[in-house]
Amino acid sequence: MTIVLNAEEMTDFLSEVFPQVEGMFSIDRLDEGALVMRLHASEQHLRPGGTVSGPAMFALADVGAYVITMSRIGRQALAVTTNCSIDFMRKPAAGADVLGEFRLLKLGRTLSVVDCLLFSEGQAAPVARASLTYSIPPVK
Amino acid sequence: MTIVLNAEEMTDFLSEVFPQVEGMFSIDRLDEGALVMRLHASEQHLRPGGTVSGPAMFALADVGAYVITMSRIGRQALAVTTNCSIDFMRKPAAGADVLGEFRLLKLGRTLSVVDCLLFSEGQAAPVARASLTYSIPPVK
Amino acid sequence: MTIVLNAEEMTDFLSEVFPQVEGMFSIDRLDEGALVMRLHASEQHLRPGGTVSGPAMFALADVGAYVITMSRIGRQALAVTTNCSIDFMRKPAAGADVLGEFRLLKLGRTLSVVDCLLFSEGQAAPVARASLTYSIPPVK
Amino acid sequence: MTIVLNAEEMTDFLSEVFPQVEGMFSIDRLDEGALVMRLHASEQHLRPGGTVSGPAMFALADVGAYVITMSRIGRQALAVTTNCSIDFMRKPAAGADVLGEFRLLKLGRTLSVVDCLLFSEGQAAPVARASLTYSIPPVK
């Protein structure tokens, strides 16, 4: 599927619609083959021991699913997550950013389905996996 | 099952182990019959329109599942979430706190299973539901 | 919400649209307050030890979510499951039927969300819990 | 990870432990790189229109997660599914077998985590995705 918003345009769009998370995420790669998003490890997302928290990993999965969907359909700020299932498999590495690799499994008229693997930067075994469904509002 | 940590003790324990979320959550009710936890609506958890974000609701589900498990087994900071499935069903009310009502469905030797319904305070229809599994480390 | 198909009408409808599972399920109770469905324990759904299999419990959750949705919107054979998350918590009792208690958490224009607890008949602790989303085709 | 049960040994093991599903599934490929399992389309798993049912797809996901786990740890019939999340994304092709491609994301001491994509044979877009957790009983 053709990309209609590239990494720079998506970054601007995210800043507009989610100003609260400004600086929390960035896009490492966005093209027809892949989306890789980065969660910047920072004090507020850490747990005792210096590892990234579960809610911060959920937030990365959620924003990445939004980004990969929007990158194909364009700016539709009202798309909403309807479901997420996430498995936490390993403790993230202390102090490391978390990278999410996303796949768009389905893009229908009303729903998109995305899955992702999350990794501590520099490590081969995933720390978490998630699948998400977004509901896409009908275009008027 | 007997409660081994009451609301006050749990609040102290949460402050110790999750200092980053200090002030984000509080316990409305914790006894053998129920756990009700509150997510305080505040600017950093809001989305455009003033509604509580998905990741903030996930965080409420996650902390409540931890609290209801710990309330029966005592202080075991190392218990970790292994799975969460969450359905977002309705838009939360603008500016309202979100309340989570939790049930402990299973407390085994190595796993606990919890489900919850989340409500915007003052509304009857749930905004989200979630189920979570915690892995409980063996006591040495 | 008003019931538009009662237990007898739903049973007839199920026989029409799912002839393959004839005899596998029955409705114990269907009214505005509750849906209870029964999975009849029979050889083909059993595992070694005489307990009901995971796929048979999934099938009960799936058909119950369909029934509770249809009971409110009427005959729409084309509604399809889009997501199910299921937790298997305890071994079912050998030889016992499994009963599912269902709640309709949301009935929107395009999606319904249902959750359920499954019990071995005569036992208090649930053997499984599940949540399901059905996509409801637009009425032409 | 090394394979300790090959396709032929696994097939024999499945026939022993799950005699009820004899003939329903077969292993197309099992080696260190991949597991591909086949659900044979047959009358009892079909829905009106000749498509494979949701419960049959769940059963394929479940048995494949069991097979990929056992292929690494050997015969442990008592491993049990604790969680499955499945998304049904497209209608399967009428009359076609369904193929499941499985990945072992984690093999810990007490849990394994597997995900899979399911395809109608001969089609490129997946009909479903699932993730599963198996609990592995401690070796005495």
Side-chain angles (χ1 to χ4, degrees):
Chain A
M1 271 165 292
T2 311
I3 297 283
V4 301
L5 289 178
N6 65 24
E8 192 180 345
E9 292 162 336
M10 271 303 320
T11 301
D12 290 347
F13 182 45
L14 284 181
S15 298
E16 267 174 50
V17 294
F18 300 130
Q20 290 89 346
V21 298
E22 181 83 41
M24 186 173 171
F25 305 109
S26 59
I27 298 173
D28 272 32
R29 179 182 165 193
L30 172 58
D31 54 38
E32 294 192 17
L35 167 66
V36 180
M37 284 201 73
R38 176 181 298 266
L39 168 67
H40 297 273
S42 70
E43 193 54 37
Q44 82 186 102
H45 310 124
L46 299 185
R47 284 284 186 261
T51 59
V52 171
S53 72
M57 287 189 275
F58 172 88
L60 173 61
D62 193 34
V63 75
Y66 183 81
V67 164
I68 201 169
T69 301
M70 293 301 114
S71 73
R72 267 70 175 186
I73 64 174
R75 293 163 161 257
Q76 298 199 22
L78 295 179
V80 292
T81 315
T82 57
N83 174 263
C84 175
S85 172
I86 186 164
D87 292 288
F88 299 101
M89 298 186 290
R90 296 176 181 85
K91 195 176 174 172
D97 285 358
V98 175
L99 297 175
E101 300 181 356
F102 294 83
R103 295 190 293 183
L104 183 59
L105 296 179
K106 177 183 176 172
L107 179 59
R109 279 170 307 142
T110 60
L111 292 176
S112 70
V113 180
V114 175
D115 75 359
C116 65
L117 288 175
L118 306 186
F119 299 85
S120 286
E121 189 168 27
Q123 303 214 334
V127 296
R129 64 144 294 283
S131 46
L132 301 101
T133 303
Y134 263 77
S135 173
I136 304 169
V139 178
K140 271 89 175 220
Chain B
M1 272 165 289
T2 311
I3 297 283
V4 302
L5 289 177
N6 65 24
E8 193 180 345
E9 292 161 339
M10 270 303 321
T11 301
D12 291 347
F13 182 45
L14 283 181
S15 298
E16 268 175 50
V17 296
F18 301 128
Q20 289 89 346
V21 298
E22 181 83 42
M24 185 171 171
F25 306 108
S26 59
I27 297 174
D28 273 31
R29 179 181 165 193
L30 172 57
D31 54 39
E32 294 192 17
L35 168 65
V36 180
M37 284 201 72
R38 177 181 297 266
L39 167 67
H40 297 275
S42 70
E43 192 54 36
Q44 81 186 102
H45 310 123
L46 299 185
R47 284 284 186 261
T51 59
V52 171
S53 73
M57 288 190 273
F58 173 88
L60 173 61
D62 192 35
V63 76
Y66 183 81
V67 164
I68 202 169
T69 301
M70 293 301 114
S71 73
R72 267 70 174 186
I73 64 174
R75 293 164 161 258
Q76 297 199 22
L78 295 179
V80 292
T81 315
T82 57
N83 174 262
C84 175
S85 173
I86 187 165
D87 293 289
F88 299 101
M89 299 186 290
R90 294 175 182 86
K91 195 176 174 172
D97 285 358
V98 176
L99 297 175
E101 300 181 357
F102 294 83
R103 296 190 293 183
L104 184 59
L105 296 179
K106 177 183 177 173
L107 179 58
R109 280 170 308 142
T110 60
L111 292 177
S112 70
V113 180
V114 175
D115 76 1
C116 65
L117 288 176
L118 306 186
F119 300 85
S120 286
E121 190 168 25
Q123 304 215 331
V127 295
R129 64 143 294 282
S131 45
L132 300 100
T133 302
Y134 263 78
S135 173
I136 304 168
V139 178
K140 271 93 177 214
Chain C
M1 270 165 293
T2 310
I3 296 283
V4 301
L5 288 178
N6 65 23
E8 192 180 347
E9 291 162 337
M10 272 303 319
T11 302
D12 290 346
F13 181 46
L14 284 181
S15 298
E16 267 174 52
V17 295
F18 301 129
Q20 289 88 345
V21 297
E22 181 83 41
M24 185 171 171
F25 306 109
S26 58
I27 297 173
D28 273 31
R29 179 182 166 194
L30 172 59
D31 54 39
E32 293 192 17
L35 167 66
V36 180
M37 283 200 73
R38 176 180 297 266
L39 167 67
H40 297 274
S42 70
E43 192 54 37
Q44 82 187 102
H45 310 123
L46 300 184
R47 284 283 186 262
T51 59
V52 170
S53 73
M57 287 189 276
F58 172 88
L60 173 61
D62 192 35
V63 76
Y66 182 83
V67 164
I68 201 168
T69 302
M70 293 301 114
S71 73
R72 267 72 174 184
I73 63 174
R75 294 165 160 255
Q76 298 199 22
L78 295 179
V80 292
T81 316
T82 57
N83 174 262
C84 176
S85 173
I86 187 164
D87 292 289
F88 298 101
M89 300 187 290
R90 295 175 180 88
K91 194 177 174 172
D97 285 358
V98 175
L99 296 175
E101 299 181 359
F102 294 83
R103 295 190 295 183
L104 184 59
L105 296 179
K106 177 183 178 174
L107 178 58
R109 279 170 308 140
T110 61
L111 291 177
S112 70
V113 180
V114 175
D115 77 359
C116 65
L117 289 176
L118 306 187
F119 299 86
S120 286
E121 188 167 27
Q123 304 215 332
V127 295
R129 64 144 294 284
S131 46
L132 301 101
T133 303
Y134 263 78
S135 173
I136 303 169
V139 177
K140 270 81 172 228
Chain D
M1 270 165 293
T2 311
I3 296 283
V4 301
L5 289 178
N6 65 24
E8 192 180 348
E9 292 162 337
M10 272 302 320
T11 301
D12 290 346
F13 182 46
L14 283 181
S15 298
E16 267 174 52
V17 296
F18 301 129
Q20 289 89 345
V21 298
E22 181 83 41
M24 185 172 171
F25 305 109
S26 58
I27 298 172
D28 272 32
R29 180 181 164 194
L30 172 58
D31 54 40
E32 295 192 16
L35 168 65
V36 180
M37 283 200 73
R38 175 182 297 267
L39 168 67
H40 297 274
S42 70
E43 192 53 37
Q44 82 185 101
H45 309 123
L46 300 185
R47 284 283 186 263
T51 60
V52 170
S53 73
M57 287 189 275
F58 172 88
L60 173 62
D62 192 35
V63 75
Y66 182 82
V67 164
I68 201 169
T69 302
M70 294 301 114
S71 73
R72 267 70 173 186
I73 65 175
R75 293 165 161 255
Q76 297 199 23
L78 296 179
V80 293
T81 315
T82 57
N83 173 263
C84 176
S85 173
I86 186 164
D87 293 289
F88 298 101
M89 299 187 289
R90 294 175 182 88
K91 194 176 175 173
D97 286 358
V98 175
L99 298 176
E101 300 181 358
F102 295 82
R103 295 189 294 183
L104 184 59
L105 296 179
K106 177 183 176 171
L107 179 59
R109 280 170 307 141
T110 60
L111 291 177
S112 70
V113 180
V114 175
D115 76 359
C116 65
L117 288 176
L118 306 187
F119 299 85
S120 286
E121 189 167 26
Q123 304 215 332
V127 294
R129 66 144 294 283
S131 46
L132 300 102
T133 303
Y134 262 78
S135 173
I136 303 168
V139 178
K140 281 24 174 282

